[in-house]
């Protein structure tokens, strides 16, 4: 049995929380344990209760950096990570979710000759500079250079993110693009949606943030409602743009046809999606679009008919006309036309949903991600597999 460490040093990722990043951590941990790995989770934010199936998972708190630290705080936090890993006993590999100020886990793996696998979910330096007023950009870039150079492999979640790594850093490990995924077993076989009673229900799952197409969501639903007054909108999630979305729906006169669940546990998502006829991913035009949207994989596993923006990885995962309907990013009118076409053709909804479910089970499962991680771990950093590309 292999022994591994999963490190999440970002205090903004509550491993037992409701955020998409939290779900990502738990699902990959589950999949690695199903592969037979004896895993210890090191986390900066482990408050709350573990799900019953992870109740026996060893979780060790590490000192995370909160806010923008000085050099001494970064050093202390990384020393604490190294000490925590050393206390875990012999390890066969270390897997880390990249965070802005952490480098010790990958250096620990490198110095002991074991694989260090670094999952990269976003260009964190650029994000922090743009959205959180990062002052010490140079220091954050130095940390990125250290951790990207120490890792055995970098696992960005999308092709555009891999391109960012290649362009932005002179020295980094081989790259293996590893999209997000889903556990299809969590989503029961959908009922015959073509015969489902009740009004047409459009659904959106995710955090309510500007880059998730809040304006397009409100615009598209108001257009659908003008022609299908009984249509409903189900919004599953919460976030800083919720008030603006609710106001936009009020202004359009369709707030009485909208339901907001707020943040929910990941365990509730399958049952909520079972009530959705058309699932929406209305991303605006963003450049670059480096996301690997968890919601899209959940929509597919639930067998929903999907209407989404043709952008980035979304357009790679969804085949227009076969596993969903795509429209230009930011085009609420086109989104509404697709929803109306699906409202008029229940058989098309069923056909798209069935094909999407089959595709995600074949290509985008967490078990497949765990198998790839184990292939890299077994390579022990000595051999670059065929799936890896140079930085």
């Amino acid at each position: 049995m292999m022994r591994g460490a999963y490190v999440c040093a970002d205090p903004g990722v509550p491993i037992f929380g409701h955020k998409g990043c939290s779900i990502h951590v738990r699902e990959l941990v589950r999949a690695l344990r199903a592969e037979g790995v004896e895993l210890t989770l090191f986390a900066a934010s482990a408050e709350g209760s573990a799900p019953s199936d992870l109740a026996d998972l060893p979780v060790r708190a590490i000192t995370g950096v909160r806010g923008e630290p000085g050099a001494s705080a970064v050093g202390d936090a990384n020393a604490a990570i190294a000490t925590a890993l050393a206390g875990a006993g012999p390890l066969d590999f270390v897997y880390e979710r990249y965070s802005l100020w952490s480098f010790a886990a990958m250096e620990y793996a490198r110095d002991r000759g074991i694989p260090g696998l670094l999952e990269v979910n976003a260009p964190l330096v650029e994000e922090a500079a743009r959205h959180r007023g990062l002052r010490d950009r140079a220091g954050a870039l130095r940390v990125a250079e250290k951790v990207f150079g120490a890792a055995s492999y970098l696992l960005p979640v999308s092709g555009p993110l891999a391109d960012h790594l290649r362009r932005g850093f002179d020295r980094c490990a081989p790259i293996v693009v590893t999209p997000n995924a889903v556990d299809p077993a969590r989503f029961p076989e959908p009922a015959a949606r073509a015969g489902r009673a009740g009004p047409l229900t459009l659904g959106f799952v995710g955090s309510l943030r500007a880059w998730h197409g809040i304006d397009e969501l409100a615009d598209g639903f108001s257009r659908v409602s003008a022609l299908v007054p009984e249509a409903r909108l189900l919004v599953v999630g919460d976030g800083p743009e919720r008030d603006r979305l609710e106001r936009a729906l009020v202004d359009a006169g369709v707030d009485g046809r909208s339901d907001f669940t707020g943040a929910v546990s990941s365990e509730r998502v399958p049952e909520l999606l079972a009530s959705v006829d058309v699932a929406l991913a209305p991303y605006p035009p963003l450049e670059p679009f480096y996301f690997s949207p968890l919601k899209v994989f959940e929509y597919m596993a639930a067998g929903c008919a999907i209407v989404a923006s043709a952008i980035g990885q979304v357009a790679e995962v969804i085949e227009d006309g076969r596993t969903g309907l795509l429209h230009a990013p930011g085009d609420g009118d086109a989104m509404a036309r697709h929803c109306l076409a699906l409202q008029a053709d229940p058989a098309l909804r069923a056909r798209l949903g069935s094909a999407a479910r089959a595709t995600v089970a074949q290509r985008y499962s967490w078990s497949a991600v765990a198998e790839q991680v184990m292939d890299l771990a077994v390579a022990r950093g000595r051999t670059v597999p065929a799936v890896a590309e140079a930085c």
Side-chain angles (χ1 to χ4, degrees):
M1 175 181 289
M2 294 189 73
R3 299 188 72 248
Y6 187 121
V7 178
C8 182
D10 188 341
V13 181
I15 59 171
F16 298 131
H18 299 323
K19 296 164 70 172
C21 53
S22 309
I23 295 169
H24 189 151
V25 172
R26 294 197 299 272
E27 290 289 9
L28 185 52
V29 165
R30 287 183 174 109
L32 288 170
R33 281 165 41 109
E35 287 290 312
V37 178
E38 184 182 334
L39 199 67
T40 301
L41 177 58
F42 298 80
S45 180
E47 296 81 10
S49 300
S52 59
D53 64 322
L54 296 179
D56 63 337
L57 173 70
V59 179
R60 301 195 181 185
I62 59 175
T63 303
V65 173
R66 299 183 183 275
E68 186 168 346
S72 61
V74 170
D76 290 346
N78 280 280
I81 292 170
T83 299
L85 287 169
L91 296 169
D92 296 302
F93 70 94
V94 177
Y95 185 99
E96 180 173 18
R97 181 186 176 97
Y98 167 52
S99 59
L100 197 58
W101 302 107
S102 171
F103 57 82
M106 291 299 98
E107 289 190 342
Y108 179 92
R110 179 199 62 195
D111 294 346
R112 284 155 182 77
I114 61 176
L117 312 177
L118 187 69
E119 173 192 302
V120 184
N121 288 273
L124 294 184
V125 177
E126 286 70 18
E127 277 195 349
R130 184 179 306 118
H131 300 295
R132 292 184 287 279
L134 178 67
R135 297 185 303 276
D136 188 10
R137 181 186 177 94
L141 285 171
R142 285 194 296 272
V143 170
E145 291 278 5
K146 286 169 68 73
V147 71
F148 294 162
S152 303
Y153 299 102
L154 302 183
L155 278 58
V157 296
S158 70
L161 192 51
D163 292 340
H164 163 79
L165 295 172
R166 296 187 190 98
R167 288 193 307 266
F169 299 92
D170 295 330
R171 174 176 159 268
C172 62
I175 290 172
V176 183
V177 176
T178 308
N180 280 334
V182 71
D183 178 5
R186 288 181 51 229
F187 295 80
E189 287 285 346
R193 294 178 185 272
R196 194 180 72 83
L200 178 76
T201 299
L202 310 183
F204 173 91
V205 175
S207 59
L208 297 175
R209 299 180 180 274
W211 56 83
H212 286 168
I214 299 305
D215 294 332
E216 292 79 3
L217 182 60
D219 178 44
F221 179 60
S222 65
R223 292 172 185 271
V224 171
S225 294
L227 295 175
V228 186
E230 68 275 15
R232 306 288 304 178
L233 174 66
L234 176 65
V235 179
V236 180
D238 211 338
E241 295 294 311
R242 175 171 175 170
D243 287 346
R244 190 161 68 85
L245 175 57
E246 290 181 325
R247 286 196 303 271
L249 295 171
V250 169
D251 292 343
V254 295
D255 54 303
R257 307 168 198 171
S258 310
D259 299 304
F260 287 75
T261 68
V264 302
S265 69
S266 60
E267 288 73 23
R268 286 197 60 202
V269 171
E271 69 177 79
L272 289 166
L273 283 177
S275 68
V276 168
D277 299 298
V278 179
L280 306 172
Y283 289 97
L286 298 170
E287 184 58 41
F289 186 93
Y290 53 80
F291 304 102
S292 178
L294 191 63
K295 66 165 63 64
V296 169
F297 301 106
E298 291 181 328
Y299 293 167
M300 296 175 78
C304 295
I306 302 169
V307 173
S309 298
I311 189 170
Q313 193 179 91
V314 178
E316 297 171 7
V317 172
I318 296 177
E319 183 180 345
D320 188 30
R322 195 183 77 82
T323 57
L325 299 179
L326 299 177
H327 57 81
D331 192 340
D333 181 57
M335 185 185 90
R337 290 198 305 271
H338 282 155
C339 291
L340 291 169
L342 291 168
Q343 188 270 340
D345 193 345
L348 175 60
R349 297 202 304 263
R351 187 162 65 250
L352 293 175
S354 178
R357 182 178 170 88
T359 296
V360 81
Q362 293 166 2
R363 302 180 189 174
Y364 301 106
S365 68
W366 286 119
S367 62
V369 173
E371 288 174 7
Q372 179 168 277
V373 168
M374 296 310 299
D375 287 345
L376 297 175
V378 170
R380 293 187 177 273
R382 294 193 299 263
T383 303
V384 179
V387 294
E389 300 178 11
C391 180

